């Protein structure tokens, strides 16, 4: 990967459609091979972890609220970034699937009444995977 530029953008710098668009200008000004690494949207990781821990403690309502917020935030990003209707539909379906996976994880935690590092890793991955797809659409 000789002469490859690597950019890593944290959640705060990609917290909403306008900040993602600002990042696209930075990336658009680069020449040559570029690798872009993104985190989950600002605050998402903490909310997902908190919701998973709440579910393990029997507080499923908090997890349900977090899943709605997760879904809505990503749907808003798609609406603000993606102009191609086919790509937008693909991303919306991905976000819905990811939200359902998160709900299933939380339901499992409710039954198990415990969380492990592996379960928390899978939970947090919802944020990074979803946001990387949102951003990819914005970077195109």
């Amino acid at each position: 990967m000789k002469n490859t530029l690597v950019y890593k953008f944290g959640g705060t710098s990609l917290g909403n459609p306008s900040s993602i668009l600002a990042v696209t200008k930075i990336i658009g000004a680069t020449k040559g091979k570029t690798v872009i690494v993104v985190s989950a949207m600002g605050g998402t990781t903490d909310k997902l972890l908190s919701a998973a821990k709440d579910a393990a403690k029997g507080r499923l309502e908090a997890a349900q609220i977090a899943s709605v917020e997760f879904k809505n935030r990503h749907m808003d990003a798609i609406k603000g970034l993606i102009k191609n209707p086919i790509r937008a539909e693909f991303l919306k379906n991905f976000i819905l699937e990811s939200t359902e996976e998160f709900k299933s994880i939380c339901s499992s935690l409710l039954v198990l009444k415990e969380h492990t590092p592996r379960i928390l890793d899978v939970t947090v991955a919802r944020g990074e995977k979803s946001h990387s797809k949102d951003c990819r659409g914005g970077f195109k």
Side-chain angles (χ1 to χ4, degrees):
M1 294 189 22
K2 188 177 177 185
N3 297 325
T4 300
L5 291 173
V6 178
Y7 287 94
K8 198 295 187 174
F9 296 97
T12 302
S13 62
L14 296 166
N16 58 53
S18 62
S19 59
I20 293 170
L21 290 173
V23 167
T24 63
K25 291 179 183 178
I26 295 168
I27 295 166
T30 63
K31 306 280 188 246
K33 294 180 183 177
T34 306
V35 175
I36 304 161
V37 180
V38 299
S39 296
M41 286 184 176
T44 299
T45 299
D46 291 341
K47 283 185 182 183
L48 293 175
L49 284 173
S50 178
K53 291 175 182 179
D54 282 339
K57 294 176 183 174
R59 297 189 297 258
L60 190 59
E61 184 178 327
Q64 291 168 332
I65 291 168
S67 71
V68 169
E69 290 173 356
F70 172 85
K71 180 188 77 172
N72 290 343
R73 192 165 184 203
H74 283 79
M75 291 296 187
D76 288 345
I78 292 166
K79 190 185 319 179
L81 291 169
I82 311 303
K83 304 304 177 215
N84 180 312
I86 295 170
R87 177 82 179 142
E89 192 62 28
F90 170 81
L91 290 171
K92 288 176 185 177
N93 287 331
F94 180 83
I95 296 303
L96 292 174
E97 289 173 16
S98 190
T99 302
E100 288 306 312
E101 286 178 8
F102 176 66
K103 288 179 184 178
S104 293
I105 291 167
C106 289
S107 293
S108 297
L109 288 167
L110 181 67
V111 172
L112 295 172
K113 302 213 183 319
E114 69 175 338
H115 54 78
T116 65
R118 174 73 179 122
I119 292 171
L120 295 179
D121 287 346
V122 170
T123 301
V124 171
R126 300 298 107 232
E128 276 81 14
K129 286 181 178 182
S130 298
H131 197 53
S132 67
K133 288 192 183 284
D134 293 344
C135 289
R136 184 172 176 228
F139 295 154
K140 287 188 171 188

